[in-house]
Amino acid sequence: MDFIKVIGFKKSFGTKQVHSGVNLSIQKGECLGLIGGSGAGKSVILRSLIGLEKPDEGRVVFDGKDITDYTEDELVNIRKRVAYVFQGGALFDSMNVYENLAYPLREHTKLGEPEISEKVLTKLKELGLEGNDKVYPAELSGGMQKRVGLARAIIMEPEVILYDEPTAGLDPFNTVKIQEMISRLKATGVTSILVTHDMPSAFAVCDRIAMLAKGKIGAVGTRAELDASPGGIIHKFINGEQL
Ligand SMILES: Nc1ncnc2c1ncn2[C@@H]1O[C@H](COP(=O)(O)OP(=O)(O)OP(=O)(O)O)[C@@H](O)[C@H]1O
Ligand SMILES: [Mg+2]
């Protein structure tokens, strides 16, 4: 069964139509890579999956429920199940790393400080960030900020993770760290969507890749399926050809 579904998604900003009928299905436990040129509308699709954007036309279905017209109150229960790893990291600058990670646990759980501390320090260790708990975001490198952002997103143990360019601008070491984390989470049964321009990461961790181009999904398939159509839109995109 399709776990998450986007059906006939259309959206314009001003006079510019960005999506002209996007259809996309994500299976439970799958990692789907979503690629496409800058401005193609990838982030808008991700945001729509947790109701931060609404389509002008079309539907968004989450775990069998049509959430398109959900109110903010109704969306709370969806958002609890989904982590969004923002393109920019979105850390709280006035809080140190420990407080950034503890924040969602304090807001949304009844855990006591010893359990919070254990969870936070474990997550930092998993992402190679041990010893950085007292540091403020501004003192961290971009790569470390991204890893802290990821740690904070997954600390609530979400069922679904939406990654918006988690490896953009990272060096190979940090890129591999993030890839490993995505793979490890997938192995625990997490369903994920990875928006990226980083094709090695997409091929390393995704079960299927979908490409958004000209307002629609231009192609979707496994690596083997895509390799079987070497003249296809995804190969053209990867090779930097005009689409
Ligand atoms: N809130 C908004 N108001 C006006 N225009 C918007 C808004 N959000 C997105 N857009 C426009 O919609 C288009 C798609 O934006 P989106 O951020 O989804 O692109 P993207 O595929 O994620 O690009 P990138 O790879 O650069 O992150 C862009 O042209 C953008 O300017
Ligand atoms: Mg984007």
Side-chain angles (χ1 to χ4, degrees), residues 85 124-130 132 140-151 163 165-184 194 196 198 200-201 204-205:
V85 182
L124 289 178
K125 197 158 175 224
E126 277 174 20
L127 282 152
L129 290 161
E130 57 268 64
N132 288 289
L140 294 169
S141 71
M144 291 166 101
Q145 286 180 13
K146 283 219 159 189
R147 278 187 277 150
V148 175
L150 176 56
Y163 300 98
E165 302 198 27
T167 59
L170 298 187
D171 65 15
F173 173 82
N174 280 297
T175 299
V176 168
K177 276 266 169 244
I178 300 262
Q179 281 178 13
E180 286 172 356
M181 199 67 215
I182 296 173
S183 295
R184 227 180 304 152
L194 171 63
T196 191
D198 169 11
S201 289
V205 302

Side-chain angles (χ1 to χ4, degrees), residues 6-241:
V6 174
I7 307 160
F9 187 104
K10 294 188 184 175
K11 186 146 184 86
S12 300
F13 292 98
T15 55
K16 190 170 142 202
Q17 184 166 42
V18 177
H19 306 90
S20 55
V22 174
N23 294 303
L24 198 57
S25 297
I26 297 108
Q27 309 302 305
K28 203 166 174 66
E30 177 181 41
C31 175
L32 179 85
L34 182 58
I35 64 171
S38 199
K42 305 179 297 295
S43 295
V44 169
I45 291 287
L46 277 198
R47 288 205 295 275
S48 75
L49 300 181
I50 51 170
L52 292 174
E53 303 271 2
K54 303 268 185 203
D56 302 330
E57 272 181 59
R59 314 307 302 173
V60 178
V61 178
F62 185 98
D63 196 10
K65 296 187 190 72
D66 185 332
I67 65 161
T68 323
D69 299 321
Y70 268 28
T71 61
E72 284 295 306
D73 278 351
E74 290 170 318
L75 286 166
V76 168
N77 285 323
I78 302 295
R79 289 178 187 157
K80 270 190 195 151
R81 300 168 62 185
V82 182
Y84 195 123
V85 182
F86 288 94
Q87 209 163 348
L91 299 174
F92 302 116
D93 292 332
S94 63
M95 296 182 188
N96 68 26
V97 166
Y98 182 95
E99 289 160 351
N100 261 283
L101 265 66
Y103 183 82
L105 297 171
R106 289 187 179 135
E107 282 291 295
H108 301 297
T109 73
K110 293 187 169 64
L111 294 177
E113 204 50 41
E115 291 124 312
I116 289 179
S117 171
E118 197 201 318
K119 274 186 185 276
V120 169
L121 297 177
T122 304
K123 273 288 164 281
L124 289 178
K125 197 158 175 224
E126 277 174 20
L127 282 152
L129 290 161
E130 57 268 64
N132 288 289
D133 47 315
K134 299 289 186 303
V135 178
Y136 283 81
E139 302 170 85
L140 294 169
S141 71
M144 291 166 101
Q145 286 180 13
K146 283 219 159 189
R147 278 187 277 150
V148 175
L150 176 56
R152 192 185 55 187
I154 63 179
I155 204 153
M156 295 287 292
E157 295 169 9
E159 272 173 75
V160 177
I161 309 183
L162 309 175
Y163 300 98
D164 202 345
E165 302 198 27
T167 59
L170 298 187
D171 65 15
F173 173 82
N174 280 297
T175 299
V176 168
K177 276 266 169 244
I178 300 262
Q179 281 178 13
E180 286 172 356
M181 199 67 215
I182 296 173
S183 295
R184 227 180 304 152
L185 288 159
K186 183 175 145 44
T188 68
V190 165
T191 305
S192 47
I193 303 182
L194 171 63
V195 166
T196 191
H197 293 293
D198 169 11
M199 293 312 299
S201 289
F203 284 129
V205 302
C206 296
D207 299 302
R208 289 186 304 148
I209 310 255
M211 171 145 174
L212 190 54
K214 300 193 171 117
K216 291 196 156 91
I217 298 298
V220 57
T222 62
R223 171 116 202 218
E225 285 164 357
L226 299 173
D227 283 347
S229 60
I233 189 171
I234 292 189
H235 285 275
K236 286 191 174 137
F237 177 70
I238 295 170
N239 295 331
E241 288 175 37

